[in-house]
Amino acid sequence: MRHSRMLASLCAIVLAVAGGLAASAPAAAGQRCISTPSEYRAAWQAKQVRCVAPTLFATVHSRGDSFLYPAGFAYAWAGSSDNLEAYLKLRHRYGDEPAKVGVGILSYVGFPGLESWPYPMDLAVYTLPRGVHAKVPTFAAWYRLVDLGIPRAALRELERSYARIGRDQDVVDAFEHVTGCRRDDLLAGAFPSADIGCDADFLDALTAAGPSPYEGAESTQCFANFDEQYAGRRNAAALRAVLYQCQDAGFLNTGAGIGYNTYADPLICAPAAAQSVRQRYTGHEFVLPNASLDQLPAAVDIPLDIGEPGQRPYLHEGYC
């Protein structure tokens, strides 16, 4: 019964966010929704606000990369048509301040450390090959996707920790509760370590998993390393560690298939401190098999202008 209530609370958040997004960009009379990447790019260039068909997906990736995500990742994170509609709104609203558009998209996706983010990024908009299906990346979905020899009790423990956060708490607080890593240090850019309070199970699991795909490894080997070399308790902290290290489920990840950030929501005219936790949830997110752009049936790359590091006060003060 407690597990049912926990899942119900997670669903309530998802439905609340979905309800707010679903009504955001209805098709105008006589106008169909954007259904191809080239149509999306044309609407972007024209600064139009349009509805977007659910067959389109988006991933922010480093400029010059040929893959959706760095090549070692087994799965790429993807934004939904809800996200794509929000990006058109950003472009329409802040088109004369292009850095607000680019940084706003990175924030919407869930990038931390944006005050000083220096790397050029592009927005890939694409369709999926026939037979390829996007999955909602809940903790339970990861548990089914990757066999790590972790007992189901650890999954339930992890889900409970995220479902039981208080009204004024968020997923970073849940991450701290599970791993011990202090919220303020994480948001200040610190890496997980004993110095910021991370507990032994979490750190030992990170060590056992080895290098992440960001360091040239592969997700599959990272998962295998954990399964073969981790000798500690296979609990919620260990499960959270392996998702963090092997598949880029960072401390802002909700485990519920929706995005989140602690920065000001770029479409709400208020400082971050004045926005509620619920207001800072963003669009639906998916994971799908990582692929190069030329493997996709149709794709376009849209360069994002992110301005200069250190010149982004709107992240905290609000965009409007």
Side-chain angles (χ1 to χ4, degrees), residues 58-79 106 109-112 117 121-122 124 126 137 142 212-215 217 219 243-250 253 285-296 301:
T59 297
V60 173
H61 67 108
S62 297
R63 186 162 300 160
D65 278 2
S66 59
F67 277 73
L68 292 174
Y69 238 60
F73 281 99
Y75 294 93
W77 292 85
L106 299 189
V109 169
F111 277 54
W117 185 269
M121 306 298 290
D122 290 346
Y126 52 91
W142 283 118
S212 84
Y214 281 123
E215 300 168 290
S219 292
L243 295 178
Y244 179 101
Q245 187 74 351
C246 302
Q247 198 43 67
D248 198 26
N253 181 256
E285 60 186 8
F286 296 96
V287 290
L288 44 89
N290 197 12
S292 63
L293 295 176
D294 60 11
Q295 291 176 306
L296 301 171
D301 244 356

Side-chain angles (χ1 to χ4, degrees), residues 1 11 16 44 144 166 175 205 218 227 241 267 281-282 288 297 301:
M1 181 63 70
C11 289
W44 173 277
R144 292 189 297 269
F175 188 89
E218 295 187 356
D227 192 30
L267 292 172
Y281 283 98
T282 58
L288 44 89
D301 244 356

Side-chain angles (χ1 to χ4, degrees), residues 219-244:
S219 292
T220 51
Q221 187 60 53
C222 184
F223 288 129
N225 289 344
F226 168 84
D227 192 30
E228 295 168 5
Q229 299 179 29
Y230 180 63
R233 295 182 299 168
R234 301 206 168 204
N235 55 13
L239 176 56
R240 195 64 188 82
V242 72
L243 295 178
Y244 179 101

Side-chain angles (χ1 to χ4, degrees), residues 16 45 92 103-104 117 119 144-145 154 160 174 176 182 202 243 246 260 313:
Q45 291 171 342
H92 176 76
V103 174
W117 185 269
Y119 307 109
R144 292 189 297 269
L145 274 173
R160 277 196 298 270
E176 179 177 1
R182 288 191 292 270
F202 181 77
L243 295 178
C246 302
Y260 180 76

Side-chain angles (χ1 to χ4, degrees), residues 121-306:
M121 306 298 290
D122 290 346
L123 176 68
V125 182
Y126 52 91
T127 57
L128 298 182
R130 185 181 300 274
V132 173
H133 302 288
K135 298 182 183 297
V136 179
T138 62
F139 291 136
W142 283 118
Y143 185 85
R144 292 189 297 269
L145 274 173
V146 184
D147 184 5
L148 297 170
I150 293 177
R152 185 168 291 275
L155 169 64
R156 291 196 294 268
E157 179 189 354
L158 181 59
E159 290 176 326
R160 277 196 298 270
S161 295
Y162 277 72
R164 290 178 174 175
I165 54 178
R167 179 182 295 273
D168 296 323
Q169 294 180 307
D170 64 8
V171 296
V172 190
D173 294 303
F175 188 89
E176 179 177 1
H177 175 76
V178 171
T179 69
C181 305
R182 288 191 292 270
R183 170 196 177 90
D184 290 346
D185 292 304
L186 291 168
L187 291 174
F191 289 100
S193 71
D195 291 340
I196 67 166
C198 301
D199 68 30
D201 290 334
F202 181 77
L203 293 176
D204 289 348
L206 288 182
T207 299
S212 84
Y214 281 123
E215 300 168 290
E218 295 187 356
S219 292
T220 51
Q221 187 60 53
C222 184
F223 288 129
N225 289 344
F226 168 84
D227 192 30
E228 295 168 5
Q229 299 179 29
Y230 180 63
R233 295 182 299 168
R234 301 206 168 204
N235 55 13
L239 176 56
R240 195 64 188 82
V242 72
L243 295 178
Y244 179 101
Q245 187 74 351
C246 302
Q247 198 43 67
D248 198 26
F251 59 82
L252 291 169
N253 181 256
T254 66
I258 51 176
Y260 180 76
N261 216 320
T262 57
Y263 297 125
D265 185 299
L267 292 172
I268 297 175
C269 290
Q275 294 182 14
S276 68
V277 169
R278 178 164 290 190
Q279 285 178 312
R280 294 197 297 271
Y281 283 98
T282 58
H284 297 110
E285 60 186 8
F286 296 96
V287 290
L288 44 89
N290 197 12
S292 63
L293 295 176
D294 60 11
Q295 291 176 306
L296 301 171
V300 298
D301 244 356
I302 297 173
L304 299 178
D305 185 337
I306 60 171

